[in-house]
Amino acid sequence: MRTIYYLLVAGLLAALGACSGSSEPMAVQITGPLGPPTDPAVVTGQAAEEGIVCDAAMFEELYFVDLDGKILTEEEANQLKQVEMETGEIVFSAKYDKWSCTDGSGYFVMAGTGTLPPAAYDFEGINEVATWTVDSGTGDYEKLSGTGSIEVDFARGTVTYIGELEKG
């Protein structure tokens, strides 16, 4: 009888551990239009299928950070964007974007870091232009983490965030 009791307790503890543990990284792809969005971006991949993240989110550009770590005003960011286009150099250390889930489950913020200078863009094809990392989140995404890359397809007019997400 004692053996059955210990087996039941061990099974219950194992089940509780599985429910409360962190998830494994799951593939995600967020695809939206190049330029100001008018419709939600489509979120696909195992992370969306398994409920780690919503399947549609509105994009909002939050702010840019310069190479010295200073958060820039909109005017300062626009000036540096012009410098970046004229010189072809990467002038931002990060760009922060907010993804608000259309189902009301919360939002998450991604920090993007440029990896390809604008002078090297192929305006006829696909460019891997940056990497991203989940910075923060609210609601269902408070403990979300993940990383990936950002691809711009100028010919199709799309931006795609490709990577992995998990909940801690």
Side-chain angles (χ1 to χ4, degrees):
M1 183 69 159
R2 196 175 253 168
T3 304
I4 293 173
Y5 172 77
Y6 287 124
L7 288 174
L8 286 173
V9 170
L12 180 60
L13 290 174
L16 287 174
C19 292
S20 64
S22 64
S23 66
E24 293 295 317
M26 294 184 192
V28 69
Q29 184 169 317
I30 305 171
T31 303
L34 181 60
T38 55
D39 295 318
V42 177
V43 184
T44 59
Q46 187 181 9
E49 293 165 7
E50 298 291 330
I52 299 297
V53 68
C54 57
D55 61 6
M58 287 302 295
F59 170 85
E60 178 185 351
E61 186 176 273
L62 292 180
Y63 58 87
F64 287 83
V65 177
D66 70 11
L67 295 175
D68 294 325
K70 177 186 173 202
I71 295 175
L72 303 171
T73 66
E74 186 175 344
E75 183 179 326
E76 291 170 328
N78 287 335
Q79 289 172 351
L80 278 181
K81 285 178 192 177
Q82 186 66 34
V83 168
E84 187 175 60
M85 291 307 290
E86 290 172 3
T87 65
E89 296 178 20
I90 293 176
V91 297
F92 300 105
S93 67
K95 175 181 173 255
Y96 288 77
D97 299 321
K98 180 179 175 181
W99 298 91
S100 298
C101 290
T102 58
D103 63 7
S105 56
Y107 69 81
F108 52 96
V109 175
M110 288 182 171
T113 303
T115 57
L116 183 68
Y121 288 2
D122 173 6
F123 290 99
E124 303 296 321
I126 299 172
N127 300 264
E128 187 173 304
V129 299
T131 59
W132 61 263
T133 304
V134 173
D135 179 67
S136 61
T138 66
D140 289 352
Y141 313 107
E142 193 173 339
K143 294 184 180 188
L144 188 69
S145 63
T147 60
S149 62
I150 302 171
E151 290 183 353
V152 175
D153 185 338
F154 288 103
R156 292 184 51 213
T158 59
V159 177
T160 305
Y161 290 65
I162 302 165
E164 293 184 328
L165 293 173
E166 68 181 300
K167 284 191 180 175

